[in-house]
Amino acid sequence: MVTIAETASTTSSPSLTGALGARELGQDDFLKLLVTQLKNQDPLKPMDNTAFVAELAQFSQLEQSAKQVKLLEQSIAAQKANLPYTLLSLVGRQVTVDGGVVQWESGAVPLSYTLDRDAADVQITIVNMNNQLVRTLQGGPQRAGTQTVNWDGRDQNGAPLQPGVYRVSVTAVDQQGDPVGTVMQSRLTVTGVRLENGQPMLLIGDQVLDPGAVLELR
């Protein structure tokens, strides 16, 4: 990297662009280099006007770039500060996300999924948020396409569970016992907004959801 001291010892007029090394120069560095270059130029071979104007233009561009970066940073900071308030409008709305998650409050709740092809046997497994098994539903043979099985919110022994969020997985096999591909999307109701490590997150009951995971809003 060319330092100011090295620039002062030269008798030519090196371009300031070549002074950029491993560290990016700021406005003050640029101006110091320009002033030093003018002080130490050869009186018999002064910098011509074209080169001087070109370097002033470089300085002006650097100053404008710095201002643009600062304005962009301020804009991003303002957007981040306002994002939690923007998400508040989603409270009470339904969102669709990939994966098997179900909110149970009361009554029967539909569990929908899609089979890639016909299945000889389908099994639906429901666990709580601690991954403890609460219910297994047998779907039996089913056709390819979207299927729906209703869950009454009870455990394997028929006892009603606590209202909340549960995870659902679907396992399907064909006549030969080979696995059949399944896809599941969940429709959830947003209950609040919370900051997690400085990032605004949606609340689904007492569980957090990344707003970026939302596929559809109703």
Side-chain angles (χ1 to χ4, degrees):
M1 176 177 178
V2 179
T3 63
I4 293 178
E6 290 171 336
T7 303
S9 64
T10 184
T11 58
S12 61
S13 300
S15 170
L16 294 183
T17 304
L20 291 176
R23 180 177 67 88
E24 183 178 351
L25 296 181
Q27 296 181 45
D28 292 341
D29 297 320
F30 195 103
L31 188 58
K32 287 178 181 178
L33 280 172
L34 181 59
V35 171
T36 302
Q37 187 173 345
L38 291 174
K39 285 182 178 179
N40 293 276
Q41 64 181 336
D42 187 347
L44 300 178
K45 297 180 180 179
M47 182 187 299
D48 61 71
N49 291 337
T50 301
F52 183 70
V53 170
E55 296 197 353
L56 285 180
Q58 290 180 18
F59 177 76
S60 178
Q61 290 174 358
L62 178 64
E63 186 178 23
Q64 291 299 320
S65 297
K67 289 180 179 179
Q68 290 175 359
V69 169
K70 186 175 181 180
L71 289 173
L72 181 59
E73 290 175 345
Q74 292 174 344
S75 176
I76 293 174
Q79 290 178 9
K80 286 185 176 180
N82 291 329
L83 186 55
Y85 302 100
T86 303
L87 294 179
L88 286 175
S89 64
L90 300 183
V91 175
R93 303 281 297 275
Q94 285 191 329
V95 295
T96 300
V97 298
D98 278 331
V101 182
V102 61
Q103 285 173 291
W104 182 77
E105 298 296 334
S106 62
V109 58
L111 308 176
S112 297
Y113 50 91
T114 301
L115 299 175
D116 287 350
R117 49 197 175 88
D118 293 350
D121 186 59
V122 176
Q123 180 175 283
I124 301 96
T125 302
I126 303 168
V127 301
N128 61 23
M129 298 310 291
N130 293 321
N131 286 325
Q132 297 171 326
L133 177 67
V134 297
R135 184 74 177 272
T136 300
L137 302 175
Q138 300 298 332
Q142 294 181 353
R143 293 286 188 181
T146 301
Q147 302 289 341
T148 301
V149 173
N150 290 322
W151 174 47
D152 58 8
R154 296 178 180 273
D155 65 14
Q156 204 71 17
N157 298 318
L161 294 166
Q162 291 293 325
V165 180
Y166 295 83
R167 299 188 187 279
V168 183
S169 60
V170 180
T171 303
V173 295
D174 60 16
Q175 292 284 0
Q176 288 72 41
D178 295 326
V180 174
T182 62
V183 176
M184 191 169 191
Q185 290 185 340
S186 305
R187 188 176 298 174
L188 309 170
T189 300
V190 179
T191 58
V193 177
R194 175 191 295 172
L195 285 177
E196 291 277 331
N197 298 321
Q199 297 298 319
M201 307 290 280
L202 299 176
L203 280 178
I204 309 296
D206 58 354
Q207 303 298 314
V208 295
L209 172 69
D210 186 346
V214 174
L215 301 175
E216 184 180 8
L217 175 65
R218 291 179 176 269

